Amino acid sequence: MDQRLLLMHQMMLGDAPRLRAYDRALEEAVTPGDVVVDVGAGLLALSLLALRHGAEHVYAVEADPATAAAAARIIEANDLKGRLTLVTGDARTVRLPRKADVLVSEMMGNLGPEEEMAEALHVIARRHLRPGGRMVPRRLRTCLAAAEFTDEGWGLWGTDFYGYRLDPVQELVAPAAQLHFFQRPPKLLTEPTVVLDQALDGRSPSRQTLRQRLPVTAPGRLHAVLGFFTADFTDDVTLSNFPSYPGCNWAVWVWPLRHTDVAEGDELSVALRRPARRDVRAVTDWRLECGLSRQRRS
């Protein structure tokens, strides 16, 4: 197995808030005797949680053959062949022998949509979810917000490093997205604004407004626009990669801007751009168009 892939799964299994959110949501969603489908099952963490909460049978769908081979070892080591069936293939094309009561998936990317979870779940739900079946998560939202960093990341390239200037480095950075794990909360200069709202359960409409206006609500030094996701699991269980938390395996998507002072009443116009279809999963290939209009000063 590719060691980088193994380390990625190691990071995900070490993300305690992620696992707690799924554990709580599956406790609510799974009724003893249910059939559960785990889409993008990886090394079976969510499948095992579903069994823990009473699922009669879990179908674990995993597209990557190497990951599926490792998952098969876990099934054998735990003697779960009668309760957990591994299905190797793309969730959008597999055929399962039974209808499911619950679909669960963790295919959120750093921005949210780039692993195409919504597309996969819509297909498998149409084919394999019973009427009235439950989905975890049921909604995925992508937000943008303008921010001022606090002595880290892109905010370091400023004009006051112990009285010295580091801002010439800004001219060397290509206009491209970065990924960042925050060590301390940044200052948000605008309210987080939803640009993509995907209803995974199909019970309410999805909304896509990749072009938005972000009014400045707090004065400060504009450093970047941040992109992040929030997943709604149940009425009282959500999961987000912002603000960063200890052990989080999702970085925040960051679009660096030339450091600029902004005041309340200024406004950013932003447009989030998906990459070409073949590269949609590469989150650093997503781009942002950004403009600033200033309130007239007296």
Side-chain angles (χ1 to χ4, degrees):
M1 186 174 183
D2 187 317
Q3 295 303 296
R4 292 171 298 179
L5 189 59
L6 189 61
L7 287 172
M8 180 189 73
H9 284 285
Q10 180 177 298
M11 287 180 61
M12 290 191 290
L13 287 170
D15 187 335
R18 165 186 177 267
L19 290 179
R20 282 198 299 268
Y22 272 99
D23 190 39
R24 288 178 59 200
L26 288 169
E27 184 179 19
E28 291 187 33
V30 176
T31 301
D34 277 351
V35 174
V36 176
V37 177
D38 180 2
V39 182
L43 296 185
L44 306 180
L46 305 186
S47 296
L48 299 175
L49 290 178
L51 291 175
R52 176 173 180 259
H53 291 299
E56 174 192 314
H57 200 95
V58 177
Y59 292 94
V61 182
E62 174 53 49
D64 178 65
T67 302
R73 288 172 172 255
I74 295 172
I75 293 172
E76 183 175 1
N78 289 279
D79 193 23
L80 291 173
K81 289 186 178 179
R83 300 183 63 200
L84 206 170
T85 299
L86 182 65
V87 181
T88 305
D90 188 321
R92 291 166 290 194
T93 60
V94 299
R95 293 291 188 272
L96 303 177
R98 301 168 68 183
K99 293 285 188 179
D101 302 287
V102 179
L103 294 186
V104 62
S105 181
E106 195 278 81
M107 293 170 59
M108 289 91 76
N110 298 280
L111 266 172
E114 67 268 22
E115 293 188 26
E116 300 182 315
M117 180 168 67
E119 291 83 350
L121 291 186
H122 287 166
V123 171
I124 203 164
R126 188 169 60 249
R127 292 176 179 163
H128 298 297
L129 187 64
R130 296 182 190 277
R134 285 85 67 198
M135 297 186 71
V136 178
R138 62 192 188 191
R139 195 170 205 92
L140 182 63
R141 287 168 286 145
T142 298
C143 292
L144 297 178
E148 175 183 319
F149 283 62
T150 306
D151 298 327
E152 64 174 308
W154 179 245
L156 287 176
W157 308 120
T159 57
D160 186 11
F161 178 76
Y162 298 98
Y164 297 90
R165 294 179 54 181
L166 298 179
D167 57 306
V169 175
Q170 293 185 38
E171 301 172 6
L172 305 177
V173 177
Q178 303 174 358
L179 296 176
H180 187 72
F181 290 95
F182 284 93
Q183 303 302 308
R184 54 189 66 82
K187 176 182 178 180
L188 293 187
L189 305 177
T190 69
E191 294 295 326
T193 299
V194 176
V195 294
L196 186 59
D197 186 349
Q198 296 178 294
L200 306 178
D201 60 7
R203 293 172 186 163
S204 53
S206 295
R207 180 169 59 87
Q208 176 174 302
T209 316
L210 298 182
R211 181 178 292 278
Q212 283 281 12
R213 293 187 178 277
L214 308 180
V216 174
T217 55
R221 187 78 166 162
L222 173 63
H223 290 156
V225 173
L226 314 181
F228 53 93
F229 75 83
T230 297
D232 296 332
F233 289 74
T234 67
D235 289 341
D236 57 353
V237 180
T238 62
L239 182 65
S240 181
N241 63 331
F242 181 79
S244 299
Y245 56 81
C248 184
N249 73 97
W250 290 283
V252 175
W253 186 89
V254 174
W255 189 266
L257 298 170
R258 183 63 61 89
H259 295 189
T260 306
D261 289 324
V262 293
E264 187 173 351
D266 293 344
E267 186 176 78
L268 280 79
S269 59
V270 296
L272 187 63
R273 298 297 186 193
R274 296 173 181 263
R277 185 69 180 175
R278 64 183 180 277
D279 298 320
V280 70
R281 291 172 182 260
V283 68
T284 50
D285 288 345
W286 288 59
R287 297 182 61 81
L288 190 78
E289 296 174 3
C290 185
L292 174 64
S293 58
R294 295 186 179 278
Q295 184 183 45
R296 183 172 296 177
R297 311 285 192 252
S298 58

